[in-house]
Amino acid sequence: MTETQHQTRAEEIKAVPVRHYGRWVAGVVITFVAVLVIRSVITNSNMQWGVVGDYLFDDRVLRGLQNTLILTVISMVIGVVGGILLAVMRMSPNPLASGAAGVYIWLFRGTPLITQLVFWNFLALFYPRLGLGIPFGPEFVAADTNSLISPFTAALLGLGLNEAAYMAEIVRGGILSVDAGQLEAASALGMSRTKTLRRIVLPQAMRVIIPPTGNETIAMLKTTSLVVVIGYFELMTSVQQIYAQNYRIAPLLIVAVLWYLFMTSVLTLIQMQIEKRFARGTSRAAAERTTWASRMLGFRFGKGGGATR
C-alpha cells in the first residue's frame, strides 16, 4: 500500500462523539423543576419576605448568632483537644489508658446528645456540691453545683465532651493512615513516642483529619440549636422568642435558615483553603482544586469538572 493510499484511508475515519441524550433530558427536567421551585418560593405570599428583611439584622437575632458562633468555636476547641488526647490514649500500649479512652468513647457516642445536655444542666441533682480535695479527707475547694453549672457551661460540657468522642475516632483514623515504616524508622533513630507523634505522625495525618474535622465543625454549628432545651440563648432561641410574641413563625424560621446557610458556606470556604494547604506537594493537590460551586452545590463546569467525554 502506497503512502498516498494510506493517507486517503486514514482521512476516511471520522470519530463520532457519543450522544448523551439522557443527560440532556435529565438537565431539562431538573431545570424545569428548579424554576418551578424558585418561582414558588419567591412568589409565595406566606413566606412574608418583607418580614424576613425586617428581622434579618434584628439585634436579638444578631445576639443569638454571636452566641452560636462562640459556642461553636469553644466546643470545637474542647472537642479537638480532647479528641487528640483520647486518640493517643486509645492507641497507647497501657491497657488502663486505652481502656479508659474506650469507655469514654463508648459512653459519649452511645447516648443522645440532647440527653447529655440535659444531664449536665441538672448535674446538681446528682452532685449538689463539687470540690477538690483528698479522697475521704478534707476538701480544699468546694462550690455549689448550681452556681457553677450555668446554661452556657452545660452547653459547652455537652457539646464539647460529646464532640471529643467523635474527634477521637477521626484522629485515630488519621494516625493509622500513616505508614508504620515511618514509625519504625523514627524509633530506630531514637526518637521518643511523643516526639515521633508530634514531628512525623500528626503532620501527615492532618491530610486525613482535616476534611472530616471541617464537616464536624459545620455539623457543630447546626447542632448548637439543641441547647434550646436547656434555655441557652442562641440563634434558634432568639428566633423562637420573637415569633412567640408576634406569631410570625414562617418568616422568622426563614431568617434562621438564611443565617445558618451563610455561616455554613463561610465555614466550607475556610475548610477548602485549609485542605488545599495540607494537600500541597501531594497527588491530592490537583484533586483539591475545586470551586465554590462544585464544593457547595455539586455543579461542575468546564474541563475541571471531571466529566467524561
Side-chain angles (χ1 to χ4, degrees):
M1 182 181 296
T2 64
E3 183 177 353
T4 304
Q5 292 175 333
H6 180 75
Q7 291 178 351
T8 303
R9 293 192 62 180
E11 291 175 356
E12 293 176 355
I13 301 175
K14 295 182 180 180
V16 179
V18 179
R19 307 296 182 184
H20 299 285
Y21 297 107
R23 296 181 184 179
W24 287 103
V25 173
V28 171
V29 172
I30 292 173
T31 303
F32 178 72
V33 173
V35 170
L36 290 180
V37 172
I38 295 173
R39 180 180 179 278
S40 173
V41 171
I42 295 176
T43 60
N44 190 344
S45 60
N46 294 324
M47 297 289 184
Q48 303 179 49
W49 291 107
V51 179
V52 172
D54 293 337
Y55 285 97
L56 190 61
F57 297 100
D58 185 90
D59 290 339
R60 291 167 291 182
V61 173
L62 294 180
R63 191 166 68 253
L65 177 64
Q66 179 184 15
N67 290 342
T68 294
L69 292 174
I70 292 173
L71 197 58
T72 300
V73 171
I74 300 178
S75 298
M76 282 306 301
V77 170
I78 296 173
V80 170
V81 174
I84 294 174
L85 179 61
L86 287 169
V88 174
M89 291 175 60
R90 193 78 177 88
M91 302 180 68
S92 172
N94 187 329
L96 292 179
S98 177
V103 171
Y104 180 99
I105 294 171
W106 167 76
L107 178 63
F108 281 86
R109 291 204 309 170
T111 54
L113 175 56
I114 193 169
T115 303
Q116 297 174 34
L117 288 169
V118 175
F119 174 85
W120 290 114
N121 191 54
F122 293 102
L123 185 63
L125 295 177
F126 306 94
Y127 298 98
R129 288 179 62 81
L130 296 175
L132 294 175
I134 301 175
F136 308 104
E139 290 182 339
F140 300 129
V141 179
D144 181 66
T145 303
N146 279 325
S147 62
L148 291 177
I149 306 297
S150 63
F152 177 69
T153 307
L156 285 181
L157 289 172
L159 295 173
L161 296 181
N162 178 269
E163 183 61 32
Y166 288 92
M167 282 303 305
E169 293 300 290
I170 292 174
V171 174
R172 188 170 70 91
I175 293 175
L176 291 175
S177 68
V178 179
D179 185 33
Q182 300 191 38
L183 303 180
E184 296 173 359
S187 178
L189 292 173
M191 297 179 65
S192 64
R193 181 180 175 86
T194 303
K195 191 173 183 180
T196 302
L197 184 68
R198 188 177 71 252
R199 295 287 186 85
I200 297 177
V201 177
L202 283 180
Q204 298 180 73
M206 290 299 289
R207 297 168 184 163
V208 178
I209 294 173
I210 286 297
T213 301
N215 294 336
E216 287 293 311
T217 304
I218 293 173
M220 175 64 73
L221 177 69
K222 296 174 289 185
T223 304
T224 55
S225 60
L226 291 178
V227 301
V228 67
V229 300
I230 59 175
Y232 182 69
F233 187 83
E234 46 78 56
L235 180 57
M236 274 304 300
T237 310
S238 65
V239 167
Q240 289 179 345
Q241 290 183 0
I242 296 174
Y243 71 60
Q245 298 173 355
N246 60 14
Y247 302 103
R248 302 291 184 89
I249 298 176
L252 282 162
L253 288 178
I254 294 176
V255 168
V257 167
L258 292 177
W259 276 119
Y260 279 120
L261 288 174
F262 172 76
M263 291 187 293
T264 53
S265 300
V266 172
L267 289 176
T268 301
L269 292 175
I270 296 174
Q271 178 184 353
M272 287 173 58
Q273 296 304 316
I274 296 176
E275 289 180 11
K276 289 179 181 178
R277 179 178 178 83
F278 280 96
R280 288 184 304 180
T282 66
S283 59
R284 285 182 53 193
E288 298 297 340
R289 294 171 187 168
T290 54
T291 62
W292 180 89
S294 63
R295 184 60 176 269
M296 292 294 299
L297 306 174
F299 294 143
R300 297 179 296 181
F301 301 103
K303 296 180 179 179
T308 56
R309 293 181 177 273

